[in-house]
């Protein structure tokens, strides 16, 4: 992001990505508990928390994260130990994906409801993909028909995800999402096609794109019917 400010505290129209995402997720009636995983030295969270409505605050559980993503997820799962059953569903979502639609959450939950392990939202690759070397020369063209962009939420049974995190930590695996950890256990992971505008803020110009997506969504909700 070319900034010392953590991504989640960059703003869209004066509202942080963290607050935008949290309000969208926590307001969904499907979720009984929402765990916010923060760096131990995070000093900005209290400012965000006091702005949240009581109905959202009542769902929140705040825990400290770890050195890597999987450590943070493991800490969150541990914090839920007293209230989660093994078959309960856990959804892990990147807080810098503030454009998540409730329709995608519903689709994910409905599609995976009978699965033993779980799955994730993903977007099928549309563009031609090239593999390149260090000299920026193309080494081959990949078959895009079998390639997907992994997104979040990623949804797994509590017992499955807990086992996957323990396996990852014990074996010092390098994973970048929960699905990879579950795959390492040899369990099937289901792809659920999601919206392509559920983007992850990674580069500075992504903020402008998120702002445009949220504005377009707001306009589609508030627009009045037109008589022709």
């Amino acid at each position: 992001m070319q900034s010392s400010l953590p991504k989640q505290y960059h703003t869209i129209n004066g509202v942080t990505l963290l607050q935008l995402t949290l309000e969208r997720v926590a307001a969904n009636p499907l979720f009984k508990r929402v765990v916010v995983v923060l760096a131990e030295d995070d000093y900005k969270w209290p400012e965000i928390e006091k702005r949240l409505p009581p109905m959202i605050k009542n769902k929140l559980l705040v825990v400290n994260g770890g050195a890597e993503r999987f450590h943070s997820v493991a800490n969150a799962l541990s914090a839920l130990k007293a209230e989660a059953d093994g078959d309960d569903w856990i959804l892990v979502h990147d807080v810098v994906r503030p454009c998540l639609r409730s329709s995608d959450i519903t689709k994910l939950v409905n599609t995976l409801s009978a699965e033993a392990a779980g799955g994730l939202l993903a977007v099928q690759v549309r563009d031609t993909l090239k593999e390149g070397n260090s000299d920026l020369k193309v080494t081959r063209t990949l078959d895009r028909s079998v390639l997907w962009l992994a997104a979040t939420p990623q949804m797994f049974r509590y017992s499955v995800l807990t086992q996957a995190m323990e396996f990852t930590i014990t074996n010092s695996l390098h994973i970048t999402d929960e699905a990879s950890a579950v795959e390492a256990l040899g369990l099937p992971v289901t792809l659920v096609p999601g919206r392509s505008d559920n983007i992850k803020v990674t580069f500075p110009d992504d903020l402008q794109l998120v702002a445009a997506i949220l504005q377009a969504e707001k306009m589609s909700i508030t627009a009045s019917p037109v008589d022709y």
Side-chain angles (χ1 to χ4, degrees):
M1 289 296 292
Q2 301 172 14
S3 169
S4 60
L5 183 68
K7 284 191 293 185
Q8 65 269 25
Y9 291 124
H10 284 263
T11 61
I12 303 291
N13 296 325
V15 183
T16 63
L17 296 176
L18 173 57
Q19 186 175 348
L20 286 169
T21 303
L22 186 57
E23 288 186 352
R24 181 164 291 211
V25 171
N28 194 305
L30 288 172
F31 303 127
K32 178 181 178 182
R33 178 71 69 197
V34 176
V35 183
V36 181
V37 189
L38 302 171
E40 192 170 355
D41 59 352
D42 189 309
Y43 63 92
K44 284 186 167 291
W45 167 249
E47 301 174 21
I48 306 299
E49 187 176 27
K50 68 183 181 182
R51 299 191 193 122
L52 300 173
M55 66 171 289
I56 291 180
K57 286 184 181 180
N58 292 339
K59 287 187 177 184
L60 294 185
L61 179 62
V62 179
V63 303
N64 288 332
E68 300 289 344
R69 177 190 179 105
F70 53 86
H71 293 119
S72 296
V73 174
N75 289 354
L77 293 171
S78 179
L80 291 171
K81 188 174 182 179
E83 57 184 304
D85 293 328
D87 283 341
D88 284 345
W89 288 109
I90 302 294
L91 282 77
V92 183
H93 186 57
D94 298 322
V95 77
V96 289
R97 290 184 186 268
C99 300
L100 175 66
R101 307 287 184 102
S102 60
S103 58
D104 262 1
I105 295 175
T106 300
K107 184 178 183 181
L108 183 70
V109 170
N110 290 344
T111 302
L112 300 177
S113 61
E115 293 287 332
L120 68 154
L121 282 181
V123 179
Q124 194 160 17
V125 170
R126 299 176 179 179
D127 299 321
T128 299
L129 290 182
K130 303 290 186 181
E131 183 181 276
N133 60 22
S134 58
D135 295 325
L136 299 183
K137 303 298 183 183
V138 173
T139 56
R140 62 172 175 156
T141 300
L142 304 178
D143 180 7
R144 67 182 179 186
S145 68
V146 297
L147 297 176
W148 293 74
L149 301 175
T152 65
Q154 302 196 357
M155 173 174 154
F156 297 98
R157 304 278 186 186
Y158 178 80
S159 59
V160 170
L161 192 55
T162 299
Q163 182 184 357
M165 293 300 104
E166 291 173 351
F167 184 82
T168 297
I169 293 171
T170 300
N171 292 279
S172 301
L173 301 181
H174 177 70
I175 65 160
T176 55
D177 70 349
E178 295 66 50
S180 298
V182 175
E183 292 164 38
L185 293 179
L187 297 176
V189 175
T190 301
L191 294 164
V192 179
R195 292 180 59 96
S196 60
D197 58 6
N198 178 24
I199 69 168
K200 181 179 180 181
V201 173
T202 304
F203 303 108
D205 56 0
D206 290 336
L207 292 171
Q208 294 178 319
L209 183 54
V210 166
I213 292 170
L214 294 178
Q215 179 61 25
E217 181 185 0
K218 181 180 179 181
M219 291 176 63
S220 69
I221 294 173
T222 59
S224 300
V226 177
D227 292 325
Y228 292 96

